[in-house]
Coordinates of all heavy atoms in Angstrom, one line a residue:
T52 N 17.9 -65.7 75.5 CA 18.6 -64.7 75.0 C 18.7 -63.4 75.8 O 17.7 -63.1 76.7 CB 18.1 -64.3 73.5 OG1 18.9 -63.3 73.0 CG2 16.7 -63.9 73.6
Y54 N 18.7 -60.5 74.2 CA 18.3 -59.5 73.4 C 16.7 -59.1 73.5 O 16.3 -58.2 72.7 CB 18.6 -59.8 72.0 CG 20.2 -60.1 71.8 CD1 20.6 -61.2 71.2 CD2 21.0 -59.0 72.0 CE1 22.0 -61.4 71.0 CE2 22.4 -59.2 72.0 CZ 22.9 -60.4 71.4 OH 24.3 -60.4 71.2
R124 N 16.6 -70.5 64.5 CA 17.3 -69.4 63.9 C 18.1 -69.8 62.6 O 18.6 -70.9 62.7 CB 18.1 -68.5 64.9 CG 17.2 -68.0 65.9 CD 18.1 -67.2 66.8 NE 17.2 -66.9 68.0 CZ 17.7 -66.9 69.2 NH1 19.0 -66.8 69.6 NH2 16.9 -66.6 70.3
V152 N 17.4 -52.5 68.1 CA 18.2 -53.7 68.2 C 19.5 -53.3 69.0 O 20.0 -52.3 68.6 CB 18.4 -54.4 66.9 CG1 19.2 -53.4 65.9 CG2 19.2 -55.7 67.0
E153 N 19.9 -54.1 69.9 CA 21.1 -53.9 70.6 C 22.3 -53.9 69.6 O 22.3 -54.7 68.6 CB 21.3 -55.0 71.6 CG 20.4 -54.9 72.9 CD 20.7 -55.8 73.9 OE1 21.9 -56.4 74.0 OE2 19.8 -56.1 74.7
C154 N 23.1 -52.9 69.7 CA 24.3 -52.6 68.7 C 25.1 -54.0 68.6 O 25.6 -54.2 67.6 CB 25.1 -51.5 69.1 SG 24.2 -49.9 69.0
C155 N 25.3 -54.8 69.6 CA 26.2 -56.0 69.5 C 25.3 -57.1 68.8 O 25.9 -58.2 68.7 CB 26.5 -56.3 71.0 SG 25.2 -56.6 72.1
N156 N 24.0 -57.0 68.7 CA 23.2 -58.1 68.1 C 23.5 -58.1 66.5 O 22.5 -57.8 65.9 CB 21.8 -58.1 68.5 CG 21.0 -59.3 68.1 OD1 21.5 -60.1 67.4 ND2 19.9 -59.4 68.6
N157 N 24.6 -58.5 66.0 CA 24.8 -58.5 64.5 C 24.0 -59.3 63.8 O 23.6 -59.0 62.6 CB 26.3 -58.8 64.3 CG 27.3 -57.7 64.8 OD1 26.9 -56.6 64.7 ND2 28.4 -58.0 65.4
T158 N 23.5 -60.5 64.3 CA 22.7 -61.4 63.6 C 21.4 -60.8 63.2 O 20.9 -60.8 62.2 CB 22.5 -62.7 64.3 OG1 23.9 -63.3 64.6 CG2 21.7 -63.7 63.6
A159 N 20.8 -60.2 64.2 CA 19.4 -59.4 64.1 C 19.7 -58.3 63.2 O 18.9 -58.1 62.3 CB 18.9 -59.2 65.4
K160 N 20.7 -57.5 63.4 CA 20.9 -56.3 62.6 C 21.1 -56.7 61.2 O 20.4 -56.0 60.2 CB 22.1 -55.6 63.1 CG 22.5 -54.3 62.3 CD 23.7 -53.7 62.9 CE 24.6 -52.8 61.8 NZ 25.3 -53.5 60.8
N161 N 21.8 -57.8 60.8 CA 21.9 -58.2 59.5 C 20.6 -58.6 58.9 O 20.4 -58.4 57.6 CB 23.0 -59.4 59.4 CG 24.4 -58.9 59.6 OD1 24.6 -57.7 59.6 ND2 25.2 -59.8 60.1
L162 N 19.7 -59.4 59.7 CA 18.4 -59.7 59.1 C 17.6 -58.4 58.8 O 16.9 -58.5 57.7 CB 17.7 -60.6 60.3 CG 16.3 -60.8 59.9 CD1 16.1 -61.8 58.7 CD2 15.6 -61.4 61.2
Y163 N 17.6 -57.4 59.8 CA 16.8 -56.2 59.4 C 17.3 -55.5 58.2 O 16.6 -55.1 57.4 CB 16.8 -55.4 60.7 CG 16.5 -56.1 62.0 CD1 17.1 -55.7 63.1 CD2 15.5 -57.1 62.0 CE1 16.7 -56.4 64.4 CE2 15.1 -57.7 63.0 CZ 15.7 -57.3 64.3 OH 15.3 -58.0 65.5
E164 N 18.7 -55.4 58.0 CA 19.2 -54.8 56.9 C 19.0 -55.5 55.6 O 18.6 -54.9 54.5 CB 20.7 -54.6 56.9 CG 21.1 -53.6 58.1 CD 22.6 -53.4 58.4 OE1 23.3 -54.3 58.2 OE2 23.0 -52.3 58.7
K165 N 19.0 -56.8 55.6 CA 18.6 -57.6 54.5 C 17.2 -57.4 54.1 O 16.9 -57.6 52.9 CB 18.8 -59.2 54.8 CG 18.5 -60.1 53.9 CD 18.8 -61.5 54.3 CE 17.7 -62.5 54.1 NZ 17.8 -63.8 54.5
I170 N 19.7 -48.0 59.6 CA 20.0 -47.5 60.9 C 19.7 -46.0 60.8 O 20.2 -45.3 59.8 CB 21.5 -47.7 61.2 CG1 21.7 -49.1 61.5 CG2 21.8 -46.9 62.5 CD1 23.1 -49.6 61.8
V185 N 23.8 -50.8 77.5 CA 24.0 -51.2 76.2 C 23.3 -50.2 75.2 O 22.2 -49.8 75.6 CB 23.3 -52.7 76.0 CG1 23.4 -53.1 74.5 CG2 24.0 -53.7 76.9
D186 N 23.9 -49.9 74.1 CA 23.3 -49.1 73.2 C 22.6 -49.8 72.1 O 22.7 -51.0 71.9 CB 24.5 -48.4 72.4 CG 25.4 -47.5 73.2 OD1 25.0 -47.1 74.3 OD2 26.4 -47.1 72.7
F188 N 20.6 -49.6 68.2 CA 20.4 -49.0 66.9 C 18.9 -48.8 66.9 O 18.1 -49.6 67.1 CB 20.8 -49.9 65.7 CG 22.3 -49.9 65.7 CD1 23.0 -51.1 65.6 CD2 23.1 -48.8 65.4 CE1 24.3 -51.3 65.4 CE2 24.5 -48.9 65.3 CZ 25.1 -50.2 65.2
M190 N 16.3 -48.3 64.0 CA 16.3 -48.7 62.6 C 14.9 -48.6 62.1 O 13.8 -48.7 62.8 CB 16.6 -50.1 62.3 CG 18.0 -50.5 62.9 SD 18.7 -52.2 62.5 CE 18.9 -52.0 60.7

Side-chain angles (χ1 to χ4, degrees):
T52 179
Y54 298 128
R124 293 182 198 148
V152 59
E153 290 181 23
C154 292
C155 59
N156 189 350
N157 290 321
T158 303
K160 180 180 155 287
N161 292 339
L162 171 68
Y163 306 148
E164 289 176 332
K165 177 177 132 184
I170 295 171
V185 177
D186 298 343
F188 288 121
M190 301 183 75

